[in-house]
């Protein structure tokens, strides 16, 4: 188990993280989300032992991680870290880059593991190619295979699919995260992409203003976001007064409503003037303005004409789910 307690860090005089504390269990995948500069990458580097810290503690089971002042080289045998720069060996092949980190004393096992990782990361066709001739996305897949080679107990991933083509990304996500679950590898994954999070993460940590803003199970944090900022990280969201959605409501309190939760009606509900319709494939994302000129995003099965007035409704189930927040 990874245990982080009262961790704080600053670059010179600028505080980046303050009083960070959490635990990560065996085989658990935790996503770390937040806007650029919130400290996601810094947190991973601290856990890896790459950066010094003066306040707090980091432990994996009984092993204390103390930073570069106590350990010249970062990392530990039980832990692997994939940064946004891949640190590959450019003049040897893809297969050699992966096998380099496996034991030479067990050639059959090394060959089997190398083949398994080539298939998992869809690199079989490039096995003999020197890494320097690969694209950025292909190199990222080699880097992913390398960090998995020795079956670490703890894996730290920083934007693991950022360089990978969109058409290949979905399958690789499934391959990687299902592999981690199967092998019971604990993983902390810093990401901007909610598609890395919603189908796979057990919990989500949201960082903002140097602190943990929220840390809950993924489904709970999505269905009951405590703040609009959190909802924005996980989907297109709006902040709407309840009494505008339901005229009989006795409160003017705002609630968070995702675009997909708003239903278009021609008869009654929240009146909206359409401004733009954006084709999204299986639906349209529509932007309109409601009372008071406030903007709102919602989904529609068909394109709506600019200037058209329609009504939007939200289910009572959705409203009740958001009211306790």
């Amino acid at each position: 188990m990874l245990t982080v307690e009262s961790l704080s860090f600053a670059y010179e005089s600028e505080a980046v993280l303050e009083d960070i504390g959490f635990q990560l269990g065996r085989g658990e995948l935790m996503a770390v989300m937040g806007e650029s500069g919130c400290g996601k990458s810094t947190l991973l580097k601290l856990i890896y032992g790459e950066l010094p810290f003066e306040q707090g503690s980091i432990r994996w089971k009984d092993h204390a991680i103390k930073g570069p002042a106590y350990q010249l080289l970062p990392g530990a045998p039980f832990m692997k870290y994939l940064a946004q720069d891949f640190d590959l060996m450019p003049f040897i092949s893809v297969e050699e880059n992966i096998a380099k980190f496996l034991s030479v004393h067990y050639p059959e096992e090394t060959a089997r593991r190398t083949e398994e990782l080539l298939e998992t990361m869809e690199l079989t066709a490039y096995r003999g190619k020197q890494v320097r001739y690969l694209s950025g996305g292909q190199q990222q897949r080699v880097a992913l295979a390398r960090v998995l080679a020795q079956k670490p107990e703890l894996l730290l991933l920083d934007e693991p699919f950022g360089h990978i083509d969109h058409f290949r990304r979905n399958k690789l996500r499934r391959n990687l995260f299902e592999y981690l679950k199967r092998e019971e590898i604990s993983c902390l994954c810093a990401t901007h992409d909610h598609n890395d999070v919603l189908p796979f993460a057990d919990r989500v940590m949201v960082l903002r203003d140097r602190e943990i803003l929220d840390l809950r199970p993924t489904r709970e944090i999505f269905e009951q976001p405590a703040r609009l900022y959190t909802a924005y990280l996980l989907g297109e969201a709006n902040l709407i007064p309840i009494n505008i959605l339901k005229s009989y409501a006795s409160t003017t309190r705002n609630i968070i409503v995702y675009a997909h939760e708003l239903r278009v009606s021609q008869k009654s509900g929240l009146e909206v003037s359409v401004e733009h319709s954006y084709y999204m494939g299986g639906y349209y994302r529509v932007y309109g303005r409601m009372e008071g000129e406030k903007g709102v995003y919602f989904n529609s099965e068909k394109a709506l004409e600019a200037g058209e007035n329609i009504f939007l409704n939200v289910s009572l189930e959705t409203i009740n789910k958001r009211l306790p927040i």
Side-chain angles (χ1 to χ4, degrees):
M1 176 182 289
L2 175 68
T3 303
V4 177
E5 295 181 337
S6 304
L7 182 66
S8 296
F9 177 80
Y11 286 111
E12 296 180 350
S13 60
E14 182 182 354
V16 179
L17 296 170
E18 293 182 351
D19 197 29
I20 302 297
F22 65 94
Q23 291 186 329
L24 180 71
R26 179 181 177 182
E28 182 181 12
L29 169 58
M30 183 186 293
V32 185
M33 303 192 76
E35 59 194 341
S36 297
C38 72
K40 299 188 300 294
S41 297
T42 299
L43 178 60
L44 297 189
K45 290 176 181 177
L46 287 164
I47 294 169
Y48 191 59
E50 189 172 312
L51 294 175
F53 59 94
E54 296 181 357
Q55 182 177 331
S57 66
I58 304 170
R59 297 191 312 278
W60 174 257
K61 299 180 180 176
D62 295 327
H63 180 95
I65 299 167
K66 296 184 177 181
Y70 299 87
Q71 185 174 324
L72 183 60
L73 295 176
F78 57 78
M79 172 170 50
K80 293 297 178 184
Y81 171 46
L82 178 62
Q84 294 184 47
D85 54 334
F86 309 137
D87 191 28
L88 298 172
M89 299 177 185
F91 296 101
I92 65 174
S93 72
V94 168
E95 186 171 8
E96 289 169 321
N97 261 275
I98 298 169
K100 187 83 173 173
F101 292 88
L102 296 170
S103 174
V104 296
H105 301 295
Y106 303 96
E108 292 183 2
E109 173 64 12
T110 294
R112 186 194 67 78
R113 290 280 297 131
T114 302
E115 195 66 36
E116 178 186 29
L117 292 167
L118 285 168
E119 291 177 5
T120 299
M121 290 296 114
E122 299 188 344
L123 289 166
T124 305
Y126 308 101
R127 64 190 314 146
K129 197 169 185 178
Q130 287 187 14
V131 165
R132 60 179 170 154
Y133 297 124
L134 300 180
S135 69
Q138 290 165 345
Q139 289 185 16
Q140 188 164 33
R141 285 150 55 196
V142 177
L144 280 166
R146 264 192 17 168
V147 297
L148 294 174
Q150 293 179 317
K151 289 188 179 178
E153 295 179 71
L154 173 62
L155 183 60
L156 308 172
L157 300 176
D158 195 352
E159 300 290 349
F161 307 105
H163 296 267
I164 294 173
D165 297 332
H166 182 73
F167 80 92
R168 194 181 297 275
R169 198 177 299 171
N170 288 334
K171 185 175 181 181
L172 285 174
R173 280 192 189 103
R174 290 192 291 269
N175 287 354
L176 174 62
F177 293 132
E178 287 170 8
Y179 177 89
L180 297 182
K181 281 295 180 186
R182 188 166 63 247
E183 300 294 334
E184 294 189 305
I185 296 171
S186 303
C187 179
L188 203 63
C189 178
T191 180
H192 286 95
D193 190 343
H194 68 273
N195 292 306
D196 295 343
V197 177
L198 293 176
F200 307 108
D202 299 297
R203 288 189 292 160
V204 180
M205 177 196 301
V206 178
L207 294 177
R208 192 180 196 189
D209 296 332
R210 304 179 297 278
E211 299 176 343
I212 296 178
L213 188 68
D214 208 340
L215 176 53
R216 285 183 286 153
T218 302
R219 185 162 183 170
E220 180 183 328
I221 210 169
F222 177 78
E223 293 184 352
Q224 295 181 315
R227 296 165 181 83
L228 187 61
Y229 176 81
T230 301
Y232 274 147
L233 295 173
L234 297 171
E236 192 76 70
N238 308 281
L239 197 61
I240 304 175
I242 298 175
N243 65 327
I244 293 180
L245 289 170
K246 302 295 181 183
S247 58
Y248 54 79
S250 59
T251 177
T252 58
R253 185 173 181 174
N254 294 325
I255 64 165
I256 296 167
V257 183
Y258 291 105
H260 71 271
E261 294 173 325
L262 289 160
R263 297 287 180 264
V264 177
S265 169
Q266 300 298 326
K267 297 180 179 180
S268 62
L270 168 63
E271 188 171 4
V272 170
S273 176
V274 173
E275 292 199 359
H276 299 285
S277 290
Y278 303 95
Y279 179 62
M280 303 296 289
Y283 64 95
Y284 288 83
R285 176 67 47 76
V286 184
Y287 177 74
R289 291 194 180 273
M290 53 185 178
E291 182 182 323
E293 293 297 300
K294 186 175 181 180
V296 61
Y297 285 96
F298 59 96
N299 294 351
S300 172
E301 293 181 355
K302 61 180 182 179
L304 301 177
E305 294 293 329
E308 181 180 355
N309 287 335
I310 54 91
F311 297 94
L312 298 175
N313 288 289
V314 180
S315 71
L316 281 174
E317 180 185 2
T318 297
I319 291 175
N320 290 334
K321 194 165 20 181
R322 303 286 153 72
L323 275 174
I325 301 301

